Amino acid sequence: DNTHYMAENFKNMGYDIGPSTTPVIPLHVGDMMNAFKMWKLLDEEGVFINPVVPPAVPPADTLIRTSFMATHTRKQLDEALEKFEKVGKKIGII
């Protein structure tokens, strides 16, 4: 349920999550600077994520790796979504 909820909300915000159907949802953010900016801003907001950068991915297809567990509450997920929306808009990804 949490994976579906987050994937749908990310898509509705305008994030490109690709064909992901697992609890690990990638957010395609483009270049490496976007990935590192997003990582830093989300960290400052209290959201732990991992940037995925070259050589793990092509230089123009960096990702933010998110993952969710069944133990995350809807309140926690909603708080994270607010921060993803704020940061995504600030960087210009969404």
Side-chain angles (χ1 to χ4, degrees):
D1 286 341
N2 284 350
T3 299
H4 178 73
Y5 181 75
M6 294 303 284
E8 286 303 309
N9 277 282
F10 282 140
K11 284 190 270 186
N12 290 339
M13 277 183 213
Y15 280 106
D16 174 6
I17 68 165
S20 178
T21 59
T22 71
V24 177
I25 302 171
L27 305 179
H28 296 262
V29 298
D31 67 45
M32 196 164 26
M33 285 307 295
N34 281 343
F36 286 121
K37 284 179 194 173
M38 192 163 190
W39 167 77
K40 181 169 179 21
L41 291 171
L42 284 168
D43 183 62
E44 290 170 359
E45 293 281 342
V47 178
F48 177 77
I49 50 90
N50 294 304
V52 181
V53 298
V57 294
D61 194 26
T62 62
L63 308 170
I64 294 298
R65 181 182 183 271
T66 69
S67 59
F68 305 96
M69 302 179 300
T71 56
H72 281 115
T73 66
R74 188 57 55 102
K75 181 179 182 219
Q76 289 170 324
L77 297 176
D78 287 339
E79 288 173 5
L81 285 167
E82 287 176 20
K83 294 171 183 183
F84 275 101
E85 186 170 30
K86 174 183 172 182
V87 169
K89 286 181 177 178
K90 183 173 186 172
I91 296 172
I93 296 168
I94 57 171

